[in-house]
Amino acid sequence: MLSAIRTLAAIGCAFAVVLTGSSWASAGDGGVNCGSASCTVTVTVPGSPAGSILAPPGMSTGSGAGQADPSPSPSGSFFSTPCTYRPDPEYQPPAGADPHPAGSGGWYLMTCPDALKPTGVANTFSTVVWLSTPPPASAVAPSPAQLAAQARSLLRLTTPVIGSSPKPGSPDLVGVNVWAWVAPSAWSAQSATASAGGLSVTATATPSYSTWDFGDGTVITCLGPGTVYQPSDGENPVSPTCGHDYRQAGSFTETVTVHWSVTWAGAGQSGAFNDMTTTANAPVTVEQSQAVVTR
Amino acid sequence: MIADWTAAGLTANYQDPALAHHMSGSALSQVTRHLYVEKTEGAVVRGTPQLLDVTFGQMVPASNPTEIVINSCVDTSSWLEYTTDGHLYNNVAGGKRKTQVLVVSQNNTWKVDQLAMNAVGTC
């Protein structure tokens, strides 16, 4: 009896493979899967896996007499593009929950395209698979950290625009308080996203502080972009946030370096990179103020 | 089994030992994997599926069976993915899915050993 049922199952499995193809391809649907000797029915997700369309590729598990049922399934087709794989050493199923064949190999997060988009929303699904031999390099998807590095390389940070009072290019006078700032338009977070294999990671650079080298030996750190001088601030005030008072005449080059903190997030992970910096400089001419002699 | 799955889904706890209380084999593996993928994507699963139209299918052997196929229709309309801060993870609706399980008697305990859930609209 059992063998007869297995035969039926095997027959059904031929069907099941088709079902699996189409049901995988539909949003979050499972199907039936076959191994060499038996069939297994595969699970899926509740509701709405996004990008996580959870139709695991069934595992063939020995003695199952799983009845392969040609269940109604949306019309569909097999995948037209191959799946991608990402090594996933973090997957640690509880003992006995997800045994894998003995020997070498590793867990991979497999992401496959959907051939069907019944909802028009999902276009990939992911699951974990054990591969005893690594997939070809062309099918290996970057890890979130690798994607983050790509996203970081895509960042195009705004070059700081030096603002100052007196205006850049205008002669400064010894003893006059210089206000220094980075134009607010150049002081805002920038982000870039890299995607591959169904994963998407965004790197975000946020300006955190600026260092100013005024060229006369003075280097200061300002916690923000500095404060834009307004005429209403009065005569020769001291900048509340970022400024300098040249004590000698001469020609200098002032250099501002903006330090950006860079973080990334996506694919369920997050992290941080070392700071990035951008710089700009401007010539400064400082003149000795002339005493006005009145008689 | 559904209760264990839905409970583990609340935190996408793929290592929840309760999953093995009523599941084994590929069913347990696949639910474990499902929850792991949810976890990696920052999603959890909230709500409860509705089990409809439960019927018995094949029994092996026919008398005193140790393996039984159970057919059902699972409505996942209220069993959806959410972000961990409580928003719907996406706008993909659930629905009625033709579902089969194979329950196997192991040491006088019945466990769901294999599981298949088909597309929305299949029952």
Side-chain angles (χ1 to χ4, degrees):
Chain A
M1 181 63 182
L2 184 59
S3 61
I5 286 182
R6 283 189 172 165
T7 302
L8 285 174
I11 294 170
C13 279
F15 241 129
V17 172
V18 176
L19 286 175
T20 302
S22 57
S23 58
W24 275 10
S26 59
D29 299 317
V32 183
N33 237 322
C34 300
S36 56
S38 63
C39 293
T40 54
V41 249
T42 61
V43 87
T44 61
V45 215
S48 56
S52 76
I53 298 318
L54 292 165
M59 288 190 8
S60 174
T61 57
S63 66
Q67 177 195 26
D69 180 17
S71 314
S73 178
S75 61
S77 59
F78 291 110
F79 314 128
S80 56
T81 51
C83 302
T84 56
Y85 300 85
R86 177 165 61 81
D88 197 353
E90 293 186 5
Y91 180 56
Q92 295 175 336
D98 201 356
H100 56 75
S104 61
W107 291 109
Y108 289 78
L109 188 67
M110 180 181 75
T111 301
C112 299
D114 277 345
L116 273 185
K117 300 181 181 64
T119 63
V121 176
N123 53 23
T124 60
F125 70 86
S126 299
T127 188
V128 187
V129 294
W130 174 269
L131 300 181
S132 54
T133 56
S138 60
V140 176
S143 66
Q146 289 172 318
L147 277 179
Q150 283 183 23
R152 179 185 183 277
S153 71
L154 295 173
L155 286 170
R156 295 290 176 265
L157 302 186
T158 312
T159 301
V161 177
I162 291 179
S164 66
S165 176
K167 291 180 181 177
S170 299
D172 190 12
L173 296 177
V174 172
V176 171
N177 291 309
V178 174
W179 288 39
W181 67 84
V182 174
S185 61
W187 190 275
S188 59
Q190 312 284 316
S191 63
T193 299
S195 302
L199 301 181
S200 190
V201 172
T202 298
T204 301
T206 306
S208 55
Y209 65 97
S210 56
T211 55
W212 290 80
D213 181 340
F214 290 98
D216 64 345
T218 301
V219 179
I220 63 172
T221 296
C222 302
L223 296 182
T227 304
V228 179
Y229 173 79
Q230 304 293 342
S232 57
D233 291 320
E235 293 290 329
N236 200 23
V238 175
S239 168
T241 55
C242 194
H244 180 49
D245 176 8
Y246 282 99
R247 296 303 177 100
Q248 58 183 344
S251 294
F252 306 99
T253 298
E254 64 177 345
T255 303
V256 61
T257 302
V258 174
H259 296 255
W260 304 72
S261 61
V262 186
T263 59
W264 63 271
Q269 298 184 27
S270 60
F273 289 109
N274 292 333
D275 280 4
M276 297 173 75
T277 59
T278 52
T279 64
N281 56 55
V284 177
T285 301
V286 180
E287 297 176 351
Q288 189 68 49
S289 61
Q290 301 297 317
V292 176
V293 179
T294 57
R295 295 176 184 270
Chain B
M1 166 258 177
I2 292 284
D4 296 332
W5 188 359
T6 53
L10 292 174
T11 55
N13 180 13
Y14 76 101
Q15 294 177 317
D16 189 343
L19 292 172
H21 289 172
H22 301 289
M23 283 186 281
S24 61
S26 66
L28 177 57
S29 297
Q30 289 156 3
V31 170
T32 300
R33 294 175 179 193
H34 155 224
L35 291 172
Y36 176 72
V37 172
E38 297 285 2
K39 182 181 179 68
T40 61
E41 297 187 346
V44 297
V45 188
R46 294 184 175 184
T48 307
Q50 300 298 317
L51 206 54
L52 310 170
D53 304 331
V54 179
T55 59
F56 289 98
Q58 285 180 306
M59 299 187 186
V60 182
S63 60
N64 296 320
T66 56
E67 299 184 2
I68 302 176
V69 173
I70 300 176
N71 301 299
S72 64
C73 181
V74 175
D75 186 347
T76 60
S77 301
S78 300
W79 196 30
L80 301 173
E81 287 185 300
Y82 288 81
T83 60
T84 52
D85 59 0
H87 298 96
L88 273 174
Y89 191 87
N90 56 30
N91 60 357
V92 179
K96 292 182 178 178
R97 298 163 179 266
K98 179 178 175 61
T99 300
Q100 285 183 296
V101 300
L102 177 73
V103 295
V104 176
S105 176
Q106 301 164 333
N107 302 320
N108 295 322
T109 301
W110 288 94
K111 291 192 177 184
V112 174
D113 196 66
Q114 300 180 32
L115 165 64
M117 197 177 277
N118 287 283
V120 168
T122 47
C123 61

